[in-house]
Amino acid sequence: MSENKIPYKIYLEEDEMPKAWYNVRADMKNKPAPLLNPGTHQPMTAEELEGVFCADLVAQELDNDNAYIEIPQEIRDFYKMYRPSPLVRAYCLEEKLQTPAKIYYKFEGNNTSGSHKLNSAIAQAYYAKKQGLKGVTTETGAGQWGTALSMACSYLGLDCKVFMVKVSYEQKPFRREVMRTYGASVTPSPSMDTEIGKKINAEHPGTSGSLGCAISEAVEVAVKNPGYRYVLGSVLNQVLLHQSVIGLETKAALDKYGIKPDMIIGCAGGGSNLGGLISPFMGEKLRGEADYEFIAVEPASCPSFTRGVFAYDFADTGMVCPLAKMYTLGSDFIPSANHAGGLRYHGMSPILSQLYDDGLMKAVSVEQTKVFEAAEQFARVEGILPAPESSHAIRVAIDEALKCKETGEEKTIVFGLTGTGYFDMVAYEKFHNGEMEDYIPTDEELAKYAAKLPKID
Ligand SMILES: *Cc1c(COP(=O)(O)O)cnc(C)c1O
Protein backbone atom coordinates (compact mmCIF):
# COMPACT_ATOMS: atom_id res chain seq x y z
CA MET A 1 0.00 0.00 0.00
CA SER A 2 1.33 3.36 -1.00
CA GLU A 3 0.40 5.02 2.26
CA ASN A 4 3.03 2.91 4.02
CA LYS A 5 5.48 5.30 2.46
CA ILE A 6 4.36 7.87 4.98
CA PRO A 7 6.70 7.51 7.95
CA TYR A 8 5.54 7.25 11.55
CA LYS A 9 7.05 10.64 12.19
CA ILE A 10 7.37 13.42 9.67
CA TYR A 11 10.16 15.78 10.62
CA LEU A 12 11.30 18.92 8.89
CA GLU A 13 14.89 19.84 8.16
CA GLU A 14 16.19 22.90 9.96
CA ASP A 15 16.02 24.95 6.78
CA GLU A 16 12.40 23.93 6.24
CA MET A 17 11.31 25.49 9.52
CA PRO A 18 9.14 28.62 9.37
CA LYS A 19 11.01 31.93 9.14
CA ALA A 20 7.92 34.04 9.72
CA TRP A 21 4.79 33.65 11.83
CA TYR A 22 1.48 33.77 10.00
CA ASN A 23 -1.08 36.32 11.12
CA VAL A 24 -4.52 34.95 10.23
CA ARG A 25 -6.15 38.34 10.97
CA ALA A 26 -4.73 39.61 7.68
CA ASP A 27 -7.06 37.22 5.80
CA MET A 28 -10.13 37.66 8.01
CA LYS A 29 -12.94 39.75 6.53
CA ASN A 30 -14.42 40.37 9.95
CA LYS A 31 -11.48 41.32 12.14
CA PRO A 32 -11.52 40.48 15.84
CA ALA A 33 -13.02 43.33 17.85
CA PRO A 34 -10.51 45.74 19.42
CA LEU A 35 -9.57 45.59 23.09
CA LEU A 36 -11.36 48.33 25.06
CA ASN A 37 -10.17 50.49 27.92
CA PRO A 38 -12.03 49.16 30.99
CA GLY A 39 -12.70 52.72 32.22
CA THR A 40 -13.68 54.63 29.07
CA HIS A 41 -14.80 51.70 26.87
CA GLN A 42 -12.81 53.26 24.00
CA PRO A 43 -10.42 51.09 21.93
CA MET A 44 -7.08 50.74 23.71
CA THR A 45 -4.35 52.78 22.05
CA ALA A 46 -0.84 51.44 21.59
CA GLU A 47 0.35 53.93 24.17
CA GLU A 48 -2.11 52.70 26.78
CA LEU A 49 -1.23 49.09 26.09
CA GLU A 50 2.48 49.82 26.36
CA GLY A 51 2.01 50.58 30.05
CA VAL A 52 1.25 46.90 30.56
CA PHE A 53 2.81 45.03 27.62
CA CYS A 54 6.16 45.26 25.77
CA ALA A 55 6.11 47.67 22.82
CA ASP A 56 6.88 45.15 20.05
CA LEU A 57 4.20 42.82 21.41
CA VAL A 58 1.68 45.67 21.43
CA ALA A 59 2.46 46.25 17.75
CA GLN A 60 1.80 42.56 17.06
CA GLU A 61 -1.38 42.66 19.13
CA LEU A 62 -2.79 45.52 17.05
CA ASP A 63 -1.57 44.30 13.65
CA ASN A 64 -4.60 43.16 11.65
CA ASP A 65 -2.94 43.62 8.26
CA ASN A 66 0.48 42.00 7.86
CA ALA A 67 0.07 38.33 6.97
CA TYR A 68 3.66 37.42 7.78
CA ILE A 69 5.80 38.68 10.64
CA GLU A 70 9.43 37.63 10.62
CA ILE A 71 10.58 35.43 13.48
CA PRO A 72 13.74 37.07 14.86
CA GLN A 73 16.87 34.93 14.40
CA GLU A 74 17.38 34.57 18.19
CA ILE A 75 13.92 33.06 18.57
CA ARG A 76 14.46 30.77 15.60
CA ASP A 77 17.69 29.58 17.23
CA PHE A 78 15.84 28.87 20.49
CA TYR A 79 13.11 27.03 18.56
CA LYS A 80 15.82 24.78 17.09
CA MET A 81 16.51 23.38 20.56
CA TYR A 82 13.15 21.64 20.66
CA ARG A 83 11.60 22.14 17.23
CA PRO A 84 10.51 21.09 14.73
CA SER A 85 8.07 19.04 16.76
CA PRO A 86 7.14 15.74 15.15
CA LEU A 87 3.98 15.22 13.14
CA VAL A 88 3.13 11.63 14.00
CA ARG A 89 1.03 9.28 11.93
CA ALA A 90 -1.00 7.40 14.54
CA TYR A 91 -0.73 4.01 12.80
CA CYS A 92 -1.07 2.15 16.11
CA LEU A 93 -4.20 4.03 17.14
CA GLU A 94 -5.73 3.52 13.68
CA GLU A 95 -5.01 -0.20 13.95
CA LYS A 96 -6.50 -0.40 17.42
CA LEU A 97 -9.65 1.44 16.33
CA GLN A 98 -9.85 -0.52 13.07
CA THR A 99 -10.70 2.71 11.31
CA PRO A 100 -10.18 3.61 7.67
CA ALA A 101 -9.43 7.17 8.84
CA LYS A 102 -5.86 8.41 8.67
CA ILE A 103 -4.90 10.08 11.92
CA TYR A 104 -1.99 12.46 12.49
CA TYR A 105 -1.05 14.40 15.58
CA LYS A 106 1.35 17.27 16.09
CA PHE A 107 3.18 16.60 19.36
CA GLU A 108 4.20 19.70 21.33
CA GLY A 109 5.23 17.94 24.55
CA ASN A 110 8.88 17.42 23.61
CA ASN A 111 10.35 20.13 25.82
CA THR A 112 10.81 20.45 29.60
CA SER A 113 7.76 22.70 30.04
CA GLY A 114 5.81 19.81 28.53
CA SER A 115 3.58 21.91 26.30
CA HIS A 116 3.29 24.26 23.34
CA LYS A 117 3.44 27.30 25.67
CA LEU A 118 7.19 27.65 25.19
CA ASN A 119 6.61 28.80 21.59
CA SER A 120 5.12 32.07 22.82
CA ALA A 121 7.05 32.30 26.10
CA ILE A 122 10.37 32.64 24.27
CA ALA A 123 8.92 35.23 21.90
CA GLN A 124 7.46 37.35 24.69
CA ALA A 125 10.63 37.11 26.80
CA TYR A 126 12.73 38.03 23.75
CA TYR A 127 10.83 41.27 23.11
CA ALA A 128 10.98 42.17 26.83
CA LYS A 129 14.73 41.69 26.76
CA LYS A 130 15.07 43.66 23.53
CA GLN A 131 13.24 46.56 25.19
CA GLY A 132 15.80 46.52 27.98
CA LEU A 133 13.35 45.46 30.69
CA LYS A 134 14.40 43.87 33.97
CA GLY A 135 11.70 41.27 34.05
CA VAL A 136 8.16 40.12 33.46
CA THR A 137 5.21 39.10 35.61
CA THR A 138 2.53 36.58 34.85
CA GLU A 139 -0.03 34.21 36.28
CA THR A 140 -0.18 30.47 35.96
CA GLY A 141 -3.01 28.07 36.68
CA ALA A 142 -2.01 24.50 36.09
CA GLY A 143 1.62 25.59 35.82
CA GLN A 144 2.57 24.93 32.19
CA TRP A 145 2.68 28.57 31.20
CA GLY A 146 4.67 29.58 34.29
CA THR A 147 7.14 26.79 33.59
CA ALA A 148 7.55 27.75 29.96
CA LEU A 149 8.04 31.41 30.82
CA SER A 150 10.59 30.56 33.54
CA MET A 151 12.59 28.59 30.99
CA ALA A 152 12.50 31.41 28.46
CA CYS A 153 13.43 34.05 31.06
CA SER A 154 16.34 32.10 32.48
CA TYR A 155 17.67 31.57 28.94
CA LEU A 156 17.62 35.33 28.34
CA GLY A 157 18.59 36.44 31.85
CA LEU A 158 15.28 38.12 32.72
CA ASP A 159 13.58 38.15 36.11
CA CYS A 160 10.31 36.23 36.17
CA LYS A 161 7.58 36.70 38.81
CA VAL A 162 4.80 34.14 38.67
CA PHE A 163 1.47 34.34 40.53
CA MET A 164 0.26 30.79 40.80
CA VAL A 165 -3.39 30.04 41.59
CA LYS A 166 -3.28 28.96 45.24
CA VAL A 167 -4.96 25.61 44.74
CA SER A 168 -2.38 24.63 42.10
CA TYR A 169 0.47 26.00 44.20
CA GLU A 170 -0.54 23.62 46.96
CA GLN A 171 -1.57 20.68 44.79
CA LYS A 172 1.22 20.84 42.24
CA PRO A 173 4.42 21.39 44.25
CA PHE A 174 6.52 19.79 41.53
CA ARG A 175 5.46 22.30 38.89
CA ARG A 176 6.31 25.04 41.35
CA GLU A 177 9.77 23.58 41.92
CA VAL A 178 10.45 23.32 38.20
CA MET A 179 9.76 27.05 37.93
CA ARG A 180 12.06 27.79 40.86
CA THR A 181 14.74 25.62 39.28
CA TYR A 182 14.64 28.02 36.34
CA GLY A 183 14.97 30.94 38.73
CA ALA A 184 11.40 32.26 38.81
CA SER A 185 9.79 33.54 42.01
CA VAL A 186 6.45 31.84 42.58
CA THR A 187 3.77 33.44 44.78
CA PRO A 188 0.46 31.76 45.64
CA SER A 189 -2.50 33.86 44.52
CA PRO A 190 -4.40 35.61 46.01
CA SER A 191 -1.39 36.92 47.94
CA MET A 192 -0.99 39.73 50.44
CA ASP A 193 1.62 41.38 48.17
CA THR A 194 -0.87 43.31 46.04
CA GLU A 195 -3.85 45.57 46.66
CA ILE A 196 -6.08 43.28 44.64
CA GLY A 197 -4.84 40.19 46.45
CA LYS A 198 -5.54 41.81 49.83
CA LYS A 199 -9.02 42.85 48.70
CA ILE A 200 -9.89 39.39 47.42
CA ASN A 201 -8.52 37.72 50.55
CA ALA A 202 -10.63 40.06 52.69
CA GLU A 203 -13.79 39.44 50.66
CA HIS A 204 -13.31 35.69 50.29
CA PRO A 205 -11.29 34.45 53.28
CA GLY A 206 -9.61 31.12 52.59
CA THR A 207 -10.24 31.30 48.82
CA SER A 208 -8.20 28.88 46.74
CA GLY A 209 -7.83 31.50 43.99
CA SER A 210 -8.61 31.67 40.30
CA LEU A 211 -6.83 32.51 37.08
CA GLY A 212 -8.71 35.80 36.78
CA CYS A 213 -7.48 36.86 40.21
CA ALA A 214 -3.87 35.83 39.55
CA ILE A 215 -3.93 37.87 36.32
CA SER A 216 -5.01 40.98 38.25
CA GLU A 217 -2.17 40.51 40.72
CA ALA A 218 0.45 40.00 38.01
CA VAL A 219 -0.75 43.09 36.11
CA GLU A 220 -0.66 45.20 39.26
CA VAL A 221 2.95 44.20 40.03
CA ALA A 222 4.02 44.87 36.42
CA VAL A 223 2.44 48.32 36.39
CA LYS A 224 3.87 49.32 39.78
CA ASN A 225 7.44 48.14 39.23
CA PRO A 226 9.60 50.13 36.79
CA GLY A 227 11.28 47.86 34.23
CA TYR A 228 8.57 45.21 34.38
CA ARG A 229 5.79 44.27 31.98
CA TYR A 230 3.04 41.72 32.11
CA VAL A 231 2.90 38.72 29.76
CA LEU A 232 0.04 36.32 29.09
CA GLY A 233 0.20 32.72 27.84
CA SER A 234 -2.99 32.49 25.78
CA VAL A 235 -6.08 34.35 24.51
CA LEU A 236 -4.24 37.40 23.07
CA ASN A 237 -3.75 37.88 19.33
CA GLN A 238 0.06 37.97 19.74
CA VAL A 239 0.02 34.53 21.39
CA LEU A 240 -1.93 33.00 18.51
CA LEU A 241 0.55 34.63 16.15
CA HIS A 242 3.53 32.98 17.89
CA GLN A 243 1.73 29.66 18.07
CA SER A 244 1.22 29.72 14.29
CA VAL A 245 4.62 28.00 14.20
CA ILE A 246 2.69 24.81 15.09
CA GLY A 247 0.39 25.09 12.09
CA LEU A 248 3.10 26.21 9.69
CA GLU A 249 5.26 23.21 10.57
CA THR A 250 2.25 20.90 10.35
CA LYS A 251 1.36 22.24 6.93
CA ALA A 252 4.95 21.99 5.67
CA ALA A 253 5.17 18.39 6.87
CA LEU A 254 1.86 17.40 5.26
CA ASP A 255 2.73 19.19 2.02
CA LYS A 256 5.96 17.20 1.81
CA TYR A 257 3.88 14.06 1.34
CA GLY A 258 0.99 15.65 -0.53
CA ILE A 259 -1.43 15.05 2.32
CA LYS A 260 -4.51 17.25 2.65
CA PRO A 261 -6.38 16.98 5.95
CA ASP A 262 -10.18 16.90 5.99
CA MET A 263 -10.49 17.78 9.62
CA ILE A 264 -8.30 19.59 12.16
CA ILE A 265 -9.06 19.21 15.85
CA GLY A 266 -7.63 20.90 18.91
CA CYS A 267 -8.43 21.47 22.55
CA ALA A 268 -9.38 25.02 23.47
CA GLY A 269 -8.66 26.76 26.75
CA GLY A 270 -7.83 30.31 25.71
CA GLY A 271 -7.42 29.15 22.12
CA SER A 272 -3.70 29.53 21.53
CA ASN A 273 -2.71 26.03 20.44
CA LEU A 274 -5.82 25.55 18.35
CA GLY A 275 -5.48 29.00 16.82
CA GLY A 276 -1.82 28.34 16.05
CA LEU A 277 -2.48 24.91 14.59
CA ILE A 278 -5.33 25.95 12.31
CA SER A 279 -4.09 29.41 11.28
CA PRO A 280 -2.37 28.57 7.96
CA PHE A 281 -5.21 26.20 7.01
CA MET A 282 -7.83 28.76 8.02
CA GLY A 283 -5.96 31.27 5.87
CA GLU A 284 -6.48 29.00 2.85
CA LYS A 285 -10.14 28.62 3.73
CA LEU A 286 -10.58 32.38 4.14
CA ARG A 287 -8.90 33.01 0.78
CA GLY A 288 -11.12 30.37 -0.85
CA GLU A 289 -8.17 28.14 -1.78
CA ALA A 290 -9.15 25.05 0.19
CA ASP A 291 -11.75 23.83 2.64
CA TYR A 292 -11.24 22.17 5.98
CA GLU A 293 -13.40 21.31 8.97
CA PHE A 294 -12.04 22.80 12.20
CA ILE A 295 -13.19 21.56 15.59
CA ALA A 296 -12.49 23.19 18.96
CA VAL A 297 -12.88 20.86 21.93
CA GLU A 298 -13.61 22.24 25.37
CA PRO A 299 -14.51 20.73 28.73
CA ALA A 300 -18.23 20.37 29.49
CA SER A 301 -17.43 21.98 32.85
CA CYS A 302 -16.11 25.20 31.23
CA PRO A 303 -17.97 25.50 27.90
CA SER A 304 -17.06 29.01 26.67
CA PHE A 305 -17.78 28.35 22.98
CA THR A 306 -20.70 25.98 23.19
CA ARG A 307 -22.65 27.67 25.99
CA GLY A 308 -21.05 31.09 26.44
CA VAL A 309 -22.06 34.43 24.94
CA PHE A 310 -20.15 36.50 22.37
CA ALA A 311 -19.70 39.78 24.22
CA TYR A 312 -17.18 42.19 25.69
CA ASP A 313 -15.95 40.93 29.03
CA PHE A 314 -13.22 41.45 31.56
CA ALA A 315 -10.14 39.29 31.21
CA ASP A 316 -9.54 39.26 34.96
CA THR A 317 -11.37 39.34 38.28
CA GLY A 318 -9.92 42.69 39.34
CA MET A 319 -11.19 44.32 36.11
CA VAL A 320 -7.88 46.06 35.46
CA CYS A 321 -7.18 44.41 32.10
CA PRO A 322 -8.64 45.67 28.82
CA LEU A 323 -12.05 44.34 27.83
CA ALA A 324 -12.05 41.75 25.09
CA LYS A 325 -14.93 40.71 22.85
CA MET A 326 -15.00 36.97 23.05
CA TYR A 327 -17.07 33.91 23.78
CA THR A 328 -17.22 34.04 27.55
CA LEU A 329 -18.92 32.56 30.56
CA GLY A 330 -18.41 35.78 32.54
CA SER A 331 -15.27 36.80 34.42
CA ASP A 332 -16.75 35.70 37.76
CA PHE A 333 -17.33 32.18 36.49
CA ILE A 334 -15.28 29.73 38.52
CA PRO A 335 -15.31 26.33 36.88
CA SER A 336 -15.64 23.28 39.08
CA ALA A 337 -12.40 21.56 40.00
CA ASN A 338 -11.95 19.78 36.69
CA HIS A 339 -8.59 18.26 35.98
CA ALA A 340 -7.72 19.96 32.74
CA GLY A 341 -6.30 23.01 34.49
CA GLY A 342 -5.23 24.64 31.25
CA LEU A 343 -8.80 24.69 29.94
CA ARG A 344 -10.46 26.47 32.85
CA TYR A 345 -10.39 30.06 31.62
CA HIS A 346 -13.78 31.81 31.35
CA GLY A 347 -13.09 33.44 27.97
CA MET A 348 -11.71 32.54 24.55
CA SER A 349 -9.37 34.12 22.01
CA PRO A 350 -11.08 37.05 20.23
CA ILE A 351 -9.72 35.73 16.89
CA LEU A 352 -11.21 32.27 17.34
CA SER A 353 -14.38 33.79 18.78
CA GLN A 354 -14.87 35.83 15.61
CA LEU A 355 -14.11 32.85 13.34
CA TYR A 356 -16.55 30.71 15.32
CA ASP A 357 -19.22 33.38 15.20
CA ASP A 358 -18.72 33.60 11.44
CA GLY A 359 -19.39 29.87 11.14
CA LEU A 360 -15.84 29.07 9.99
CA MET A 361 -15.19 26.56 12.75
CA LYS A 362 -17.15 24.25 15.04
CA ALA A 363 -16.94 23.53 18.74
CA VAL A 364 -17.90 20.58 20.90
CA SER A 365 -17.68 19.98 24.62
CA VAL A 366 -16.71 16.70 26.27
CA GLU A 367 -16.99 15.30 29.79
CA GLN A 368 -13.83 14.59 31.68
CA THR A 369 -14.30 10.85 32.35
CA LYS A 370 -14.70 10.38 28.58
CA VAL A 371 -11.56 12.45 28.09
CA PHE A 372 -9.53 10.26 30.43
CA GLU A 373 -10.84 7.10 28.75
CA ALA A 374 -9.45 8.45 25.50
CA ALA A 375 -6.20 9.51 27.18
CA GLU A 376 -5.61 6.04 28.50
CA GLN A 377 -6.51 4.36 25.23
CA PHE A 378 -4.09 6.66 23.42
CA ALA A 379 -1.26 6.17 25.96
CA ARG A 380 -1.55 2.40 25.66
CA VAL A 381 -1.13 2.29 21.91
CA GLU A 382 0.86 5.41 21.01
CA GLY A 383 3.11 5.41 24.09
CA ILE A 384 2.87 9.10 24.94
CA LEU A 385 1.22 9.95 28.27
CA PRO A 386 -0.99 12.89 27.23
CA ALA A 387 -1.89 15.98 29.26
CA PRO A 388 -5.55 16.06 30.29
CA GLU A 389 -5.96 19.23 28.19
CA SER A 390 -4.59 17.55 25.07
CA SER A 391 -6.78 14.53 25.70
CA HIS A 392 -9.86 16.57 24.88
CA ALA A 393 -8.62 16.64 21.29
CA ILE A 394 -7.78 12.92 21.42
CA ARG A 395 -11.36 12.18 22.54
CA VAL A 396 -12.89 13.89 19.53
CA ALA A 397 -10.27 12.54 17.09
CA ILE A 398 -11.14 9.01 18.25
CA ASP A 399 -14.88 9.72 18.00
CA GLU A 400 -14.46 11.04 14.46
CA ALA A 401 -12.30 8.03 13.49
CA LEU A 402 -14.99 5.70 14.84
CA LYS A 403 -17.60 7.52 12.75
CA CYS A 404 -15.42 6.82 9.70
CA LYS A 405 -15.42 3.16 10.65
CA GLU A 406 -19.19 3.16 10.38
CA THR A 407 -19.40 5.11 7.16
CA GLY A 408 -16.28 3.68 5.55
CA GLU A 409 -14.95 7.17 4.86
CA GLU A 410 -11.17 7.48 4.70
CA LYS A 411 -10.95 10.91 6.24
CA THR A 412 -7.61 12.44 7.12
CA ILE A 413 -7.75 13.76 10.67
CA VAL A 414 -5.08 15.98 12.21
CA PHE A 415 -5.15 16.86 15.88
CA GLY A 416 -2.96 18.87 18.22
CA LEU A 417 -1.33 16.91 21.04
CA THR A 418 -0.36 19.88 23.14
CA GLY A 419 1.59 18.24 25.93
CA THR A 420 2.42 15.51 28.38
CA GLY A 421 0.62 14.68 31.61
CA TYR A 422 3.37 13.73 34.07
CA PHE A 423 2.29 16.39 36.55
CA ASP A 424 -1.34 15.30 36.33
CA MET A 425 -1.07 11.88 37.87
CA VAL A 426 -3.43 12.81 40.70
CA ALA A 427 -6.09 13.25 38.04
CA TYR A 428 -5.20 9.93 36.44
CA GLU A 429 -5.32 8.35 39.93
CA LYS A 430 -8.86 9.69 40.48
CA PHE A 431 -9.87 8.30 37.11
CA HIS A 432 -8.38 4.87 37.83
CA ASN A 433 -10.06 4.76 41.25
CA GLY A 434 -13.44 5.61 39.76
CA GLU A 435 -13.55 8.83 41.79
CA MET A 436 -13.66 11.25 38.88
CA GLU A 437 -16.85 13.24 38.49
CA ASP A 438 -18.35 14.97 35.48
CA TYR A 439 -19.59 18.35 36.43
CA ILE A 440 -21.78 20.23 33.98
CA PRO A 441 -23.01 23.70 34.98
CA THR A 442 -26.77 24.26 34.79
CA ASP A 443 -28.36 26.87 32.51
CA GLU A 444 -29.40 28.84 35.61
CA GLU A 445 -25.83 28.94 36.87
CA LEU A 446 -24.48 30.15 33.52
CA ALA A 447 -27.26 32.74 33.23
CA LYS A 448 -26.31 34.14 36.63
CA TYR A 449 -22.75 34.86 35.48
CA ALA A 450 -23.80 36.04 32.02
CA ALA A 451 -26.11 38.61 33.65
CA LYS A 452 -23.06 40.24 35.21
CA LEU A 453 -21.29 40.92 31.91
CA PRO A 454 -20.34 44.58 31.47
CA LYS A 455 -22.79 46.61 29.40
CA ILE A 456 -21.00 48.05 26.38
CA ASP A 457 -22.72 49.98 23.61
C1 LIG B 1 -2.35 25.74 28.40
C2 LIG B 1 -2.56 24.45 27.74
C3 LIG B 1 -3.65 24.22 26.89
C4 LIG B 1 -4.73 25.23 26.64
O1 LIG B 1 -4.35 26.48 26.25
P1 LIG B 1 -4.68 27.08 24.80
O2 LIG B 1 -4.27 28.48 24.89
O3 LIG B 1 -6.15 26.91 24.57
O4 LIG B 1 -3.88 26.30 23.84
C5 LIG B 1 -3.76 23.00 26.26
N1 LIG B 1 -2.87 22.02 26.47
C6 LIG B 1 -1.81 22.19 27.30
C7 LIG B 1 -0.87 21.05 27.49
C8 LIG B 1 -1.62 23.40 27.95
O5 LIG B 1 -0.58 23.56 28.75
Side-chain angles (χ1 to χ4, degrees), residues 115-117 144 234 267-274 342-343 387 389-390 418-419:
S115 82
H116 65 287
K117 297 221 168 57
Q144 289 95 317
S234 185
C267 63
S272 74
N273 87 83
L274 176 66
L343 304 181
E389 292 89 347
S390 324
T418 50

Side-chain angles (χ1 to χ4, degrees), residues 89-135:
R89 172 75 184 267
Y91 283 119
C92 303
L93 182 62
E94 290 170 18
E95 173 71 25
K96 178 77 185 175
L97 299 174
Q98 289 288 300
T99 174
K102 298 172 179 62
I103 310 174
Y104 296 83
Y105 57 91
K106 180 73 167 163
F107 179 48
E108 291 291 318
N110 260 342
N111 68 78
T112 299
S113 80
S115 82
H116 65 287
K117 297 221 168 57
L118 195 54
N119 301 331
S120 184
I122 187 60
Q124 298 194 46
Y126 167 82
Y127 290 113
K129 179 81 182 175
K130 187 174 160 227
Q131 195 172 325
L133 299 175
K134 274 189 243 162

Side-chain angles (χ1 to χ4, degrees), residues 270-334:
S272 74
N273 87 83
L274 176 66
L277 173 65
I278 69 174
S279 273
F281 301 94
M282 183 62 86
E284 289 189 324
K285 181 164 172 150
L286 290 164
R287 296 188 302 268
E289 296 164 9
D291 197 16
Y292 304 97
E293 195 177 340
F294 303 107
I295 307 179
V297 190
E298 59 187 14
S301 59
C302 189
S304 320
F305 268 138
T306 51
R307 296 175 68 199
V309 281
F310 190 32
Y312 270 104
D313 193 11
F314 293 102
D316 62 324
T317 314
M319 305 177 183
V320 292
C321 289
L323 293 158
K325 189 176 180 197
M326 55 188 175
Y327 273 85
T328 178
L329 297 167
S331 62
D332 284 340
F333 178 79
I334 300 193

Side-chain angles (χ1 to χ4, degrees), residues 23-26 28-35 61 63-64 237 310 312 325 349-355 358:
N23 178 11
V24 70
R25 283 168 284 169
M28 289 169 68
K29 280 187 198 77
N30 298 327
K31 309 291 181 193
L35 297 171
E61 192 62 31
D63 187 342
N64 282 343
N237 298 340
F310 190 32
Y312 270 104
K325 189 176 180 197
S349 139
I351 295 176
L352 291 189
S353 293
Q354 187 62 52
L355 292 168
D358 288 341

Side-chain angles (χ1 to χ4, degrees), residues 241-444:
L241 175 73
H242 306 147
Q243 295 296 357
S244 70
V245 69
I246 303 173
L248 291 163
E249 281 184 12
T250 302
K251 190 155 189 321
L254 292 172
D255 285 350
K256 252 179 140 167
Y257 289 87
I259 305 159
K260 184 187 168 292
D262 297 296
M263 184 180 273
I264 305 177
I265 302 168
C267 63
S272 74
N273 87 83
L274 176 66
L277 173 65
I278 69 174
S279 273
F281 301 94
M282 183 62 86
E284 289 189 324
K285 181 164 172 150
L286 290 164
R287 296 188 302 268
E289 296 164 9
D291 197 16
Y292 304 97
E293 195 177 340
F294 303 107
I295 307 179
V297 190
E298 59 187 14
S301 59
C302 189
S304 320
F305 268 138
T306 51
R307 296 175 68 199
V309 281
F310 190 32
Y312 270 104
D313 193 11
F314 293 102
D316 62 324
T317 314
M319 305 177 183
V320 292
C321 289
L323 293 158
K325 189 176 180 197
M326 55 188 175
Y327 273 85
T328 178
L329 297 167
S331 62
D332 284 340
F333 178 79
I334 300 193
S336 73
N338 85 60
H339 292 288
L343 304 181
R344 295 184 64 203
Y345 188 63
H346 65 274
M348 188 54 72
S349 139
I351 295 176
L352 291 189
S353 293
Q354 187 62 52
L355 292 168
Y356 179 66
D357 205 58
D358 288 341
L360 291 157
M361 55 181 274
K362 298 179 184 167
V364 293
S365 74
V366 289
E367 292 164 27
Q368 69 174 346
T369 47
K370 298 279 188 306
V371 166
F372 277 80
E373 277 168 23
E376 196 172 77
Q377 193 173 9
F378 180 83
R380 289 181 184 179
V381 291
E382 289 289 323
I384 295 168
L385 182 86
E389 292 89 347
S390 324
S391 306
H392 286 67
I394 300 177
R395 172 74 272 163
V396 173
I398 289 179
D399 290 345
E400 291 295 334
L402 291 174
K403 278 186 210 160
C404 289
K405 188 173 169 176
E406 271 170 30
T407 61
E409 282 174 289
E410 295 185 18
K411 281 190 184 168
T412 297
I413 300 171
V414 173
F415 73 90
L417 188 70
T418 50
T420 46
Y422 303 117
F423 290 104
D424 300 286
M425 296 324 288
V426 172
Y428 275 91
E429 182 187 25
K430 287 225 165 70
F431 173 68
H432 293 144
N433 291 345
E435 294 160 356
M436 183 169 274
E437 284 169 20
D438 290 319
Y439 181 77
I440 303 177
T442 62
D443 288 341
E444 291 72 35

